[in-house]
Amino acid sequence: MEKTTAVILAAGEGKRMQSALPKVLHPICGYPMISYVISAVKGICSDIVVVVGHQGEKIRQLVGNRVRYVEQKEQLGTAHAVLQAVPLLPAEGNVLVLCGDTPLLTAEAIGNMADRHSQAGAAATVLTAHVPDPYGYGRIVRDEKGGVAGIVEEKDATAGERKITEINTGTYVFDIRSLKEVIDEVGCSNVQGEYYLTDCIAILQQKGLPVAAEVLEDYTLALGVNDRMQLARVQSLMQQRINNSLMEAGVTLVDPQTSYIDAGVRIGRDTVVMPNTIIRGRTVVGENCIIGPNSELVDCRVGSNSVFRHSVANSSEIGDGVAVGPFAHLRSGTVLEKDVKVGGFVEIKKTRVGSKTKIAHLSYIGDAQLGSGINMGGGTIVVNYDGKRKNLTTIHDNAFIGCNCNLVAPVTVGKGAYVAAGSTVTEDVPAGSLTIARARQVNKEGRAARYLENNNSKNMNRKE
Ligand code: UD1
Ligand code: CA
């Protein structure tokens, strides 16, 4: 079906979602729902037309120019939506019609339906499924011979028809000439007062044109999203699919139920994802890492043989052999080179950290450039903000910064310098220098007892 056009219906608001966001843009595992439908047909169809209406601008912006658009100004029903796309269709051949709210459909399932259509020489082929709970879907009405007689919507169905468990997935192939012949004949005398695309099937059948059906083996592929409960279910099934393919590719997910990994994420072999871990966006993780438990990585690059535990990172690069956490926060623009260690309660932002540097405990490092082999003592803070501007800090290779130092930016610490614990560094430190920037200690020998005595009597006076 090389030259087939696909029409994806996405003009509806999705009222049952109760949302400011159009339904087809709701994200599932990191991508808008409709983008899964587009990906599934891309291999089969060279031309994709999306019918937009409600907040169409937003959809155009997010989906971009990999598809063509046509507007349905008023949402009068699915047949009316397809009608808007008819002028864009070639004179003959086939057109695939899909809904933007069935993201689990696979290219394979769509391909099977297209093959069935060709083999049957049908005027229309509908993709159906037998579901345990058919509520809300259009039901497939079969004739005595088992052929498709028509589709009846939930709201228009009789009690008997509602018992039918074979449903319309909302996915079809039409012969374009046949579609054009009948689409104008669709009326709107039904409970919803809408022009139903599903009515085309009965009209074609009544005209004696062949209608075929392809039944999905796995009904879950057909699950549509109309409300938030269905969104949660579809999200969870999509997550399972992603997790299974990661495991097939050699990634260990210790608890797949609590591994939330977006569709765009790549993870190398023998990496272990521990429980309660969220890996989102375009994150790429190398081989043989341990990620989690209780961690979140968003749009990060992680090398191989690294460990990232109980921590959060956003738009950061983590090299090979790096250890992060527990309880670290890497904010946007953090780059950790090979073998860096970042320990507990450390926050880093917009900073490059050279190889083998250690920032082991309780630090904030922002807008800085750190060389390699540096030891940042516990509690060290880069004072990058003066209330107006963010200033830069540079620390050269092999410097040693003692515990609890403040490095007041802009400031540079030279190669191999040693800054004593508790220093507040406000001037550049030359390479190799020992810098002590704190008040001198005073020892008053033998004065401890007298000092305590004085203090106690003061306190007693206060009570009286
Ligand atoms: C539709 C089918 C139903 C099928 C189900 C599968 C009809 C009448 N019903 O029902 O048989 O079982 O899908 O999930 O077709 N849309 C437009 N313009 C409109 C109306 C809808 O573009 O005027 C779009 C929506 O944005 C949505 C899709 O068409 O992406 C389906 O519409 P929806 O209202 O969700 O139809 P269902 O009630 O689910
Ligand atoms: Ca729907």
Side-chain angles (χ1 to χ4, degrees):
M1 285 217 163
E2 273 299 288
K3 286 201 176 124
T4 309
T5 301
V7 174
I8 301 175
L9 309 185
E13 172 185 357
K15 284 196 190 66
R16 292 163 277 183
M17 293 295 282
Q18 302 287 353
S19 175
L21 191 67
K23 175 168 70 178
V24 298
L25 292 186
H26 275 259
I28 290 178
C29 300
Y31 288 101
M33 200 184 299
I34 191 174
S35 65
Y36 292 94
V37 183
I38 295 171
S39 301
V41 292
K42 222 165 41 191
I44 305 166
C45 301
S46 48
D47 180 28
I48 301 173
V49 177
V50 176
V51 182
V52 294
H54 178 78
Q55 292 195 49
E57 261 320 299
K58 241 187 201 163
I59 297 173
R60 284 173 206 248
Q61 260 174 30
L62 253 124
V63 174
N65 55 12
R66 56 191 160 139
V67 300
R68 295 199 283 163
Y69 297 93
V70 64
E71 200 188 345
Q72 183 194 22
K73 288 202 175 73
E74 267 184 291
Q75 284 76 63
L76 302 179
T78 44
H80 181 256
V82 171
L83 192 60
Q84 312 310 305
V86 164
L88 276 72
L89 298 179
E92 52 182 21
N94 292 310
V95 59
L96 248 139
V97 177
L98 307 100
C99 296
D101 64 353
T102 49
L104 291 167
L105 272 178
T106 58
E108 194 195 353
I110 297 165
N112 289 345
M113 170 185 64
D115 291 346
R116 165 69 56 117
H117 180 80
S118 306
Q119 281 157 17
T125 301
V126 53
L127 185 64
T128 77
H130 291 279
V131 299
D133 177 15
Y135 178 79
Y137 292 96
R139 309 297 206 283
I140 304 295
V141 181
R142 298 266 183 177
D143 59 24
E144 323 75 65
K145 286 188 219 136
V148 177
I151 301 172
V152 53
E153 291 305 299
E154 171 82 34
K155 287 184 177 144
D156 303 297
T158 62
E161 286 165 339
R162 283 191 185 142
K163 291 203 178 96
I164 299 172
T165 56
E166 187 182 8
I167 60 110
N168 167 27
T169 64
T171 316
Y172 326 77
V173 190
F174 288 98
D175 165 62
I176 292 171
R177 284 169 195 253
S178 308
L179 177 70
K180 284 181 180 166
E181 208 180 306
V182 295
I183 196 151
D184 289 325
E185 294 178 29
V186 173
C188 62
S189 52
N190 50 56
V191 172
Q192 304 191 80
E194 284 184 6
Y195 296 89
Y196 292 160
L197 182 62
T198 46
D199 285 355
C200 290
I201 300 296
I203 299 172
L204 286 168
Q205 218 260 0
Q206 281 150 24
K207 283 184 189 278
L209 290 161
V211 174
E214 168 75 9
V215 185
L216 272 179
E217 252 170 61
D218 176 1
Y219 78 88
T220 63
L221 304 192
L223 292 175
V225 176
N226 294 320
D227 58 35
R228 305 265 182 168
M229 280 72 77
Q230 290 170 327
L231 177 68
R233 177 146 189 236
V234 165
Q235 153 84 35
S236 151
L237 286 164
M238 188 67 83
Q239 192 62 72
Q240 256 177 45
R241 193 185 282 179
I242 294 166
N243 290 357
N244 287 345
S245 76
L246 286 167
M247 290 188 280
E248 273 162 18
V251 178
T252 293
L253 304 184
V254 172
D255 182 16
Q257 297 289 337
T258 65
S259 301
Y260 302 94
I261 304 172
D262 277 357
V265 170
R266 300 283 165 267
I267 305 181
R269 285 204 318 176
D270 294 317
T271 282
V272 177
V273 177
M274 300 291 275
N276 283 328
T277 292
I278 301 167
I279 309 180
R280 296 183 42 209
R282 307 203 170 269
T283 298
V284 178
V285 179
E287 296 187 357
N288 213 32
C289 292
I290 298 173
I291 310 293
N294 306 320
S295 294
E296 181 173 40
L297 286 166
V298 182
D299 294 327
C300 289
R301 291 192 82 85
V302 182
S304 292
N305 305 307
S306 289
V307 177
F308 188 92
R309 298 187 300 142
H310 298 276
S311 292
V312 173
N314 189 2
S315 304
S316 294
E317 275 177 51
I318 297 167
D320 296 337
V322 169
V324 176
F327 312 118
H329 183 190
L330 309 181
R331 289 163 53 197
S332 145
T334 297
V335 180
L336 307 181
E337 290 177 4
K338 198 169 183 298
D339 299 327
V340 161
K341 286 205 169 21
V342 172
F345 305 101
V346 171
E347 176 175 332
I348 306 180
K349 181 210 92 173
K350 229 180 179 178
T351 291
R352 174 175 281 273
V353 181
S355 62
K356 294 200 166 111
T357 286
K358 292 190 176 80
I359 311 168
H361 341 263
L362 303 153
S363 275
Y364 171 66
I365 316 284
D367 304 298
Q369 183 90 29
L370 273 58
S372 64
I374 293 167
N375 185 84
M376 298 290 278
T380 288
I381 302 292
V382 165
V383 185
N384 62 324
Y385 186 50
D386 58 15
K388 267 196 190 145
R389 240 168 284 132
K390 300 284 167 69
N391 300 300
L392 302 183
T393 298
T394 307
I395 306 176
H396 291 285
D397 295 353
N398 302 319
F400 182 100
I401 315 292
C403 286
N404 244 32
C405 286
N406 298 307
L407 303 170
V408 182
V411 75
T412 298
V413 176
K415 198 169 170 180
Y418 190 111
V419 178
S423 291
T424 291
V425 177
T426 52
E427 286 164 34
D428 287 353
V429 173
S433 100
L434 166 64
T435 297
I436 310 166
R438 65 184 183 220
R440 235 175 211 295
Q441 184 169 328
V442 181
N443 292 333
K444 300 187 175 176
E445 286 191 36
R447 288 270 295 275
R450 231 177 78 199
Y451 174 78
L452 285 173
E453 217 169 82
N454 274 348
N455 251 7
N456 281 345
S457 61
K458 259 190 220 155
N459 285 343
M460 274 161 69
N461 287 343
R462 212 172 283 148
K463 268 179 208 153
E464 286 156 9

PDB file of all heavy atoms in Angstrom, residues 290-315:
ATOM      1  N   ILE A 290      23.809   1.242  37.035  1.00  0.00           N
ATOM      2  CA  ILE A 290      22.718   0.993  37.985  1.00  0.00           C
ATOM      3  C   ILE A 290      21.985   2.321  38.139  1.00  0.00           C
ATOM      4  O   ILE A 290      22.578   3.324  38.542  1.00  0.00           O
ATOM      5  CB  ILE A 290      23.245   0.509  39.350  1.00  0.00           C
ATOM      6  CG1 ILE A 290      23.986  -0.819  39.164  1.00  0.00           C
ATOM      7  CG2 ILE A 290      22.099   0.350  40.346  1.00  0.00           C
ATOM      8  CD1 ILE A 290      24.683  -1.308  40.416  1.00  0.00           C
ATOM      9  N   ILE A 291      20.714   2.322  37.781  1.00  0.00           N
ATOM     10  CA  ILE A 291      19.913   3.548  37.860  1.00  0.00           C
ATOM     11  C   ILE A 291      18.795   3.305  38.865  1.00  0.00           C
ATOM     12  O   ILE A 291      18.018   2.367  38.731  1.00  0.00           O
ATOM     13  CB  ILE A 291      19.305   3.923  36.483  1.00  0.00           C
ATOM     14  CG1 ILE A 291      20.353   3.931  35.371  1.00  0.00           C
ATOM     15  CG2 ILE A 291      18.561   5.252  36.577  1.00  0.00           C
ATOM     16  CD1 ILE A 291      21.413   5.011  35.477  1.00  0.00           C
ATOM     17  N   GLY A 292      18.727   4.153  39.891  1.00  0.00           N
ATOM     18  CA  GLY A 292      17.733   3.966  40.934  1.00  0.00           C
ATOM     19  C   GLY A 292      18.308   3.159  42.072  1.00  0.00           C
ATOM     20  O   GLY A 292      19.498   2.822  42.047  1.00  0.00           O
ATOM     21  N   PRO A 293      17.513   2.862  43.096  1.00  0.00           N
ATOM     22  CA  PRO A 293      16.082   3.110  43.181  1.00  0.00           C
ATOM     23  C   PRO A 293      15.749   4.591  43.410  1.00  0.00           C
ATOM     24  O   PRO A 293      16.637   5.395  43.677  1.00  0.00           O
ATOM     25  CB  PRO A 293      15.679   2.288  44.408  1.00  0.00           C
ATOM     26  CG  PRO A 293      16.907   2.277  45.267  1.00  0.00           C
ATOM     27  CD  PRO A 293      18.049   2.215  44.296  1.00  0.00           C
ATOM     28  N   ASN A 294      14.449   4.884  43.281  1.00  0.00           N
ATOM     29  CA  ASN A 294      13.904   6.209  43.623  1.00  0.00           C
ATOM     30  C   ASN A 294      14.625   7.350  42.929  1.00  0.00           C
ATOM     31  O   ASN A 294      15.081   8.289  43.575  1.00  0.00           O
ATOM     32  CB  ASN A 294      13.964   6.427  45.134  1.00  0.00           C
ATOM     33  CG  ASN A 294      13.286   5.295  45.880  1.00  0.00           C
ATOM     34  OD1 ASN A 294      12.235   4.819  45.447  1.00  0.00           O
ATOM     35  ND2 ASN A 294      13.889   4.829  46.943  1.00  0.00           N
ATOM     36  N   SER A 295      14.750   7.255  41.630  1.00  0.00           N
ATOM     37  CA  SER A 295      15.509   8.274  40.909  1.00  0.00           C
ATOM     38  C   SER A 295      14.720   8.798  39.728  1.00  0.00           C
ATOM     39  O   SER A 295      13.783   8.148  39.259  1.00  0.00           O
ATOM     40  CB  SER A 295      16.827   7.688  40.417  1.00  0.00           C
ATOM     41  OG  SER A 295      17.637   7.379  41.533  1.00  0.00           O
ATOM     42  N   GLU A 296      15.136   9.989  39.269  1.00  0.00           N
ATOM     43  CA  GLU A 296      14.497  10.575  38.094  1.00  0.00           C
ATOM     44  C   GLU A 296      15.566  11.167  37.184  1.00  0.00           C
ATOM     45  O   GLU A 296      16.364  11.994  37.622  1.00  0.00           O
ATOM     46  CB  GLU A 296      13.507  11.666  38.519  1.00  0.00           C
ATOM     47  CG  GLU A 296      12.789  12.285  37.335  1.00  0.00           C
ATOM     48  CD  GLU A 296      11.689  13.251  37.732  1.00  0.00           C
ATOM     49  OE1 GLU A 296      11.894  14.013  38.704  1.00  0.00           O
ATOM     50  OE2 GLU A 296      10.636  13.253  37.087  1.00  0.00           O
ATOM     51  N   LEU A 297      15.569  10.727  35.943  1.00  0.00           N
ATOM     52  CA  LEU A 297      16.484  11.286  34.944  1.00  0.00           C
ATOM     53  C   LEU A 297      15.624  11.860  33.827  1.00  0.00           C
ATOM     54  O   LEU A 297      14.787  11.146  33.270  1.00  0.00           O
ATOM     55  CB  LEU A 297      17.361  10.187  34.352  1.00  0.00           C
ATOM     56  CG  LEU A 297      18.498   9.608  35.182  1.00  0.00           C
ATOM     57  CD1 LEU A 297      19.001   8.311  34.557  1.00  0.00           C
ATOM     58  CD2 LEU A 297      19.657  10.594  35.288  1.00  0.00           C
ATOM     59  N   VAL A 298      15.827  13.136  33.499  1.00  0.00           N
ATOM     60  CA  VAL A 298      15.060  13.747  32.416  1.00  0.00           C
ATOM     61  C   VAL A 298      16.036  14.325  31.394  1.00  0.00           C
ATOM     62  O   VAL A 298      16.896  15.147  31.755  1.00  0.00           O
ATOM     63  CB  VAL A 298      14.140  14.871  32.953  1.00  0.00           C
ATOM     64  CG1 VAL A 298      13.301  15.465  31.820  1.00  0.00           C
ATOM     65  CG2 VAL A 298      13.231  14.356  34.063  1.00  0.00           C
ATOM     66  N   ASP A 299      15.931  13.911  30.158  1.00  0.00           N
ATOM     67  CA  ASP A 299      16.776  14.425  29.074  1.00  0.00           C
ATOM     68  C   ASP A 299      18.264  14.407  29.440  1.00  0.00           C
ATOM     69  O   ASP A 299      18.961  15.418  29.291  1.00  0.00           O
ATOM     70  CB  ASP A 299      16.360  15.865  28.712  1.00  0.00           C
ATOM     71  CG  ASP A 299      14.968  15.906  28.107  1.00  0.00           C
ATOM     72  OD1 ASP A 299      14.596  14.952  27.413  1.00  0.00           O
ATOM     73  OD2 ASP A 299      14.258  16.903  28.342  1.00  0.00           O
ATOM     74  N   CYS A 300      18.741  13.296  29.936  1.00  0.00           N
ATOM     75  CA  CYS A 300      20.157  13.190  30.332  1.00  0.00           C
ATOM     76  C   CYS A 300      20.901  12.211  29.438  1.00  0.00           C
ATOM     77  O   CYS A 300      20.298  11.362  28.790  1.00  0.00           O
ATOM     78  CB  CYS A 300      20.249  12.693  31.776  1.00  0.00           C
ATOM     79  SG  CYS A 300      19.709  13.930  32.961  1.00  0.00           S
ATOM     80  N   ARG A 301      22.216  12.343  29.431  1.00  0.00           N
ATOM     81  CA  ARG A 301      23.072  11.324  28.805  1.00  0.00           C
ATOM     82  C   ARG A 301      23.913  10.714  29.897  1.00  0.00           C
ATOM     83  O   ARG A 301      24.596  11.433  30.632  1.00  0.00           O
ATOM     84  CB  ARG A 301      23.997  11.964  27.769  1.00  0.00           C
ATOM     85  CG  ARG A 301      23.311  12.481  26.545  1.00  0.00           C
ATOM     86  CD  ARG A 301      24.331  12.811  25.473  1.00  0.00           C
ATOM     87  NE  ARG A 301      24.714  11.613  24.746  1.00  0.00           N
ATOM     88  CZ  ARG A 301      24.017  11.141  23.716  1.00  0.00           C
ATOM     89  NH1 ARG A 301      22.929  11.748  23.312  1.00  0.00           N
ATOM     90  NH2 ARG A 301      24.401  10.048  23.089  1.00  0.00           N
ATOM     91  N   VAL A 302      23.875   9.407  30.013  1.00  0.00           N
ATOM     92  CA  VAL A 302      24.674   8.719  31.020  1.00  0.00           C
ATOM     93  C   VAL A 302      25.581   7.751  30.274  1.00  0.00           C
ATOM     94  O   VAL A 302      25.135   7.033  29.383  1.00  0.00           O
ATOM     95  CB  VAL A 302      23.771   7.941  32.012  1.00  0.00           C
ATOM     96  CG1 VAL A 302      24.605   7.271  33.094  1.00  0.00           C
ATOM     97  CG2 VAL A 302      22.721   8.867  32.635  1.00  0.00           C
ATOM     98  N   GLY A 303      26.858   7.733  30.629  1.00  0.00           N
ATOM     99  CA  GLY A 303      27.800   6.823  29.973  1.00  0.00           C
ATOM    100  C   GLY A 303      27.595   5.392  30.457  1.00  0.00           C
ATOM    101  O   GLY A 303      26.497   5.005  30.848  1.00  0.00           O
ATOM    102  N   SER A 304      28.670   4.618  30.463  1.00  0.00           N
ATOM    103  CA  SER A 304      28.578   3.231  30.913  1.00  0.00           C
ATOM    104  C   SER A 304      29.221   3.073  32.287  1.00  0.00           C
ATOM    105  O   SER A 304      30.013   3.918  32.714  1.00  0.00           O
ATOM    106  CB  SER A 304      29.279   2.322  29.908  1.00  0.00           C
ATOM    107  OG  SER A 304      28.538   2.313  28.703  1.00  0.00           O
ATOM    108  N   ASN A 305      28.867   1.992  32.974  1.00  0.00           N
ATOM    109  CA  ASN A 305      29.435   1.654  34.291  1.00  0.00           C
ATOM    110  C   ASN A 305      29.235   2.750  35.330  1.00  0.00           C
ATOM    111  O   ASN A 305      30.084   2.952  36.199  1.00  0.00           O
ATOM    112  CB  ASN A 305      30.929   1.342  34.164  1.00  0.00           C
ATOM    113  CG  ASN A 305      31.170   0.251  33.151  1.00  0.00           C
ATOM    114  OD1 ASN A 305      30.587  -0.814  33.235  1.00  0.00           O
ATOM    115  ND2 ASN A 305      32.010   0.536  32.166  1.00  0.00           N
ATOM    116  N   SER A 306      28.150   3.466  35.244  1.00  0.00           N
ATOM    117  CA  SER A 306      27.884   4.508  36.230  1.00  0.00           C
ATOM    118  C   SER A 306      26.759   4.081  37.158  1.00  0.00           C
ATOM    119  O   SER A 306      25.964   3.212  36.826  1.00  0.00           O
ATOM    120  CB  SER A 306      27.515   5.815  35.529  1.00  0.00           C
ATOM    121  OG  SER A 306      28.670   6.337  34.903  1.00  0.00           O
ATOM    122  N   VAL A 307      26.742   4.710  38.335  1.00  0.00           N
ATOM    123  CA  VAL A 307      25.710   4.400  39.330  1.00  0.00           C
ATOM    124  C   VAL A 307      24.988   5.695  39.680  1.00  0.00           C
ATOM    125  O   VAL A 307      25.632   6.719  39.945  1.00  0.00           O
ATOM    126  CB  VAL A 307      26.359   3.794  40.601  1.00  0.00           C
ATOM    127  CG1 VAL A 307      25.309   3.539  41.667  1.00  0.00           C
ATOM    128  CG2 VAL A 307      27.096   2.502  40.260  1.00  0.00           C
ATOM    129  N   PHE A 308      23.681   5.645  39.664  1.00  0.00           N
ATOM    130  CA  PHE A 308      22.882   6.841  39.944  1.00  0.00           C
ATOM    131  C   PHE A 308      21.772   6.417  40.889  1.00  0.00           C
ATOM    132  O   PHE A 308      20.797   5.794  40.484  1.00  0.00           O
ATOM    133  CB  PHE A 308      22.313   7.365  38.612  1.00  0.00           C
ATOM    134  CG  PHE A 308      21.624   8.695  38.709  1.00  0.00           C
ATOM    135  CD1 PHE A 308      22.308   9.875  38.489  1.00  0.00           C
ATOM    136  CD2 PHE A 308      20.268   8.764  39.019  1.00  0.00           C
ATOM    137  CE1 PHE A 308      21.665  11.113  38.568  1.00  0.00           C
ATOM    138  CE2 PHE A 308      19.627   9.996  39.103  1.00  0.00           C
ATOM    139  CZ  PHE A 308      20.325  11.165  38.864  1.00  0.00           C
ATOM    140  N   ARG A 309      21.960   6.696  42.187  1.00  0.00           N
ATOM    141  CA  ARG A 309      21.015   6.174  43.185  1.00  0.00           C
ATOM    142  C   ARG A 309      20.264   7.280  43.904  1.00  0.00           C
ATOM    143  O   ARG A 309      20.852   8.300  44.264  1.00  0.00           O
ATOM    144  CB  ARG A 309      21.782   5.383  44.257  1.00  0.00           C
ATOM    145  CG  ARG A 309      22.515   4.168  43.707  1.00  0.00           C
ATOM    146  CD  ARG A 309      23.101   3.347  44.825  1.00  0.00           C
ATOM    147  NE  ARG A 309      24.056   4.113  45.634  1.00  0.00           N
ATOM    148  CZ  ARG A 309      24.172   3.997  46.948  1.00  0.00           C
ATOM    149  NH1 ARG A 309      23.381   3.201  47.632  1.00  0.00           N
ATOM    150  NH2 ARG A 309      25.081   4.715  47.592  1.00  0.00           N
ATOM    151  N   HIS A 310      18.978   7.089  44.136  1.00  0.00           N
ATOM    152  CA  HIS A 310      18.157   8.014  44.937  1.00  0.00           C
ATOM    153  C   HIS A 310      18.413   9.470  44.546  1.00  0.00           C
ATOM    154  O   HIS A 310      18.613  10.321  45.414  1.00  0.00           O
ATOM    155  CB  HIS A 310      18.465   7.859  46.430  1.00  0.00           C
ATOM    156  CG  HIS A 310      18.160   6.510  46.974  1.00  0.00           C
ATOM    157  ND1 HIS A 310      16.908   6.133  47.402  1.00  0.00           N
ATOM    158  CD2 HIS A 310      18.951   5.429  47.151  1.00  0.00           C
ATOM    159  CE1 HIS A 310      16.947   4.880  47.830  1.00  0.00           C
ATOM    160  NE2 HIS A 310      18.165   4.428  47.685  1.00  0.00           N
ATOM    161  N   SER A 311      18.444   9.778  43.283  1.00  0.00           N
ATOM    162  CA  SER A 311      18.823  11.131  42.877  1.00  0.00           C
ATOM    163  C   SER A 311      17.986  11.615  41.714  1.00  0.00           C
ATOM    164  O   SER A 311      17.238  10.836  41.103  1.00  0.00           O
ATOM    165  CB  SER A 311      20.312  11.167  42.510  1.00  0.00           C
ATOM    166  OG  SER A 311      21.078  10.967  43.681  1.00  0.00           O
ATOM    167  N   VAL A 312      18.134  12.921  41.407  1.00  0.00           N
ATOM    168  CA  VAL A 312      17.355  13.563  40.355  1.00  0.00           C
ATOM    169  C   VAL A 312      18.314  14.300  39.423  1.00  0.00           C
ATOM    170  O   VAL A 312      19.222  14.985  39.896  1.00  0.00           O
ATOM    171  CB  VAL A 312      16.360  14.576  40.989  1.00  0.00           C
ATOM    172  CG1 VAL A 312      15.651  15.388  39.923  1.00  0.00           C
ATOM    173  CG2 VAL A 312      15.342  13.861  41.875  1.00  0.00           C
ATOM    174  N   ALA A 313      18.126  14.159  38.129  1.00  0.00           N
ATOM    175  CA  ALA A 313      18.957  14.897  37.177  1.00  0.00           C
ATOM    176  C   ALA A 313      18.118  15.351  36.002  1.00  0.00           C
ATOM    177  O   ALA A 313      17.226  14.638  35.540  1.00  0.00           O
ATOM    178  CB  ALA A 313      20.115  14.041  36.681  1.00  0.00           C
ATOM    179  N   ASN A 314      18.433  16.546  35.530  1.00  0.00           N
ATOM    180  CA  ASN A 314      17.688  17.139  34.435  1.00  0.00           C
ATOM    181  C   ASN A 314      18.667  17.725  33.428  1.00  0.00           C
ATOM    182  O   ASN A 314      19.577  18.461  33.822  1.00  0.00           O
ATOM    183  CB  ASN A 314      16.817  18.252  35.041  1.00  0.00           C
ATOM    184  CG  ASN A 314      15.831  18.796  34.052  1.00  0.00           C
ATOM    185  OD1 ASN A 314      15.748  18.343  32.908  1.00  0.00           O
ATOM    186  ND2 ASN A 314      15.083  19.782  34.481  1.00  0.00           N
ATOM    187  N   SER A 315      18.542  17.420  32.162  1.00  0.00           N
ATOM    188  CA  SER A 315      19.382  17.970  31.096  1.00  0.00           C
ATOM    189  C   SER A 315      20.860  18.000  31.493  1.00  0.00           C
ATOM    190  O   SER A 315      21.492  19.054  31.449  1.00  0.00           O
ATOM    191  CB  SER A 315      18.926  19.385  30.720  1.00  0.00           C
ATOM    192  OG  SER A 315      17.583  19.373  30.363  1.00  0.00           O
TER     193      SER A 315
END
